[in-house]
Amino acid sequence: MEIRVLRYFLAVAQEENITRAAQVLHIAQPSLSKQMMELEQELGKPLLIRGKRHVTLTEEGVLLRKRAEEILALVSRTEQELTTDERQLTGTIAIGGNVQPSLLRAAAALCSRYPGVSFQFYSSDATDVTERLEHGTLDFTTLLAPVDTARYESTLLPENSRWGLLVRTDDPAVEKPYAQREDILNRPLVMHRRSALQKEIAAWAHTRPEGLNIAATYNVIYGSPTELVQSGLGSLLITRDLLDAQLNPAVRFLPLNPPLETQYALVWKKHAVLSRAAEAFLAILQAQ
């Protein structure tokens, strides 16, 4: 596959129409159609479902779109790094995960010193951001500790996250200021899907993950989780920083007691060759 053809395919996927994609690319529509058919023949898989007015992606097409985005982003970053004047510090630093205030302060300090540096923040779950970290389309990502030290380098951030239980206000547990071990063990739970975090919470409750009644798991929660709790599916185990400052009156957050806190860590691939801009950012962060 040529980089040029991947750009063509990505344009078709984004426009959902070969004619419009050809206009964006400034090439003839028959030529673009031929390129797409040749790409499908080369891969031996159908990539596009061609309708009268628009095209949609097959399952293989969806996968190629994701990989094409990663490949083209990596090509662009590599070209930028190789053509940068060594006397100047420029480039884009890509950070995934839940961006913490300490990272923003370090980013602001770096941009103040070097206006040619910019940042790209990418929000997604731990599986997606670590995959992008492995592929090189992210320089760093944030993860809740503990971190797999066999695969990643990391530095702990100053932000702590306190775990607690989000329950409905008609739950008998709201009569207490905290959630304790017995409150965790005697109810269905909605928990983060990371096995390391489940083990950490189970250890806090003096049990094994199998001893917890896990009704459902989550990777990223967007918006308010009130409906999730109100549905009766289970009480939500979550860190307070992931919730709105002002909670919906239908739910209440009960911090775990004794306290269970988890730190965020900034993570990068072990033995990765960081750009000069990324190294400068890391130095500022660690100094702060």
Side-chain angles (χ1 to χ4, degrees), residues 93-108:
I93 300 171
I95 303 177
N98 190 0
V99 179
Q100 298 299 301
S102 58
L103 298 180
L104 296 177
R105 290 193 296 270

Side-chain angles (χ1 to χ4, degrees), residues 201-262:
I201 292 170
W204 172 89
H206 305 296
T207 187
R208 298 167 60 87
E210 297 78 18
L212 301 173
N213 180 8
I214 302 177
T217 61
Y218 65 89
N219 54 357
V220 177
I221 293 180
Y222 294 106
S224 173
T226 301
E227 292 297 329
L228 182 64
V229 175
Q230 282 190 306
S231 69
L233 180 62
S235 300
L236 179 65
L237 268 167
I238 194 169
T239 56
R240 184 62 181 87
D241 66 301
L242 296 179
L243 300 173
D244 293 335
Q246 187 68 36
L247 292 178
N248 187 302
V251 295
R252 183 175 172 189
F253 180 80
L254 303 176
L256 298 187
N257 187 40
L260 177 62
E261 293 187 341
T262 302

Side-chain angles (χ1 to χ4, degrees), residues 164-185:
L165 195 65
L166 194 68
V167 299
R168 301 192 309 193
T169 50
D170 61 356
D171 192 301
V174 300
E175 300 299 326
K176 303 191 297 184
Y178 302 104
Q180 297 176 298
R181 176 176 179 269
E182 57 271 20
D183 298 311
I184 300 296
L185 296 177

Side-chain angles (χ1 to χ4, degrees), residues 50-126:
R50 294 163 174 83
K52 291 183 178 180
R53 296 189 176 181
H54 68 278
V55 299
T56 55
L57 299 180
T58 64
E59 185 176 343
E60 292 82 3
V62 171
L63 176 60
L64 182 60
R65 176 177 183 166
K66 180 180 180 182
R67 293 293 180 249
E69 289 173 342
E70 294 172 350
I71 290 168
L72 294 176
L74 187 58
V75 168
S76 176
R77 286 162 54 80
T78 303
E79 289 174 345
Q80 186 181 58
E81 291 169 3
L82 291 176
T83 57
T84 297
D85 190 333
E86 291 185 0
R87 295 168 295 179
Q88 299 178 347
L89 194 63
T90 61
T92 300
I93 300 171
I95 303 177
N98 190 0
V99 179
Q100 298 299 301
S102 58
L103 298 180
L104 296 177
R105 290 193 296 270
L110 185 63
C111 289
S112 177
R113 296 183 195 178
Y114 304 101
V117 174
S118 62
F119 284 81
Q120 181 183 80
F121 298 114
Y122 179 82
S123 297
S124 188
D125 64 9

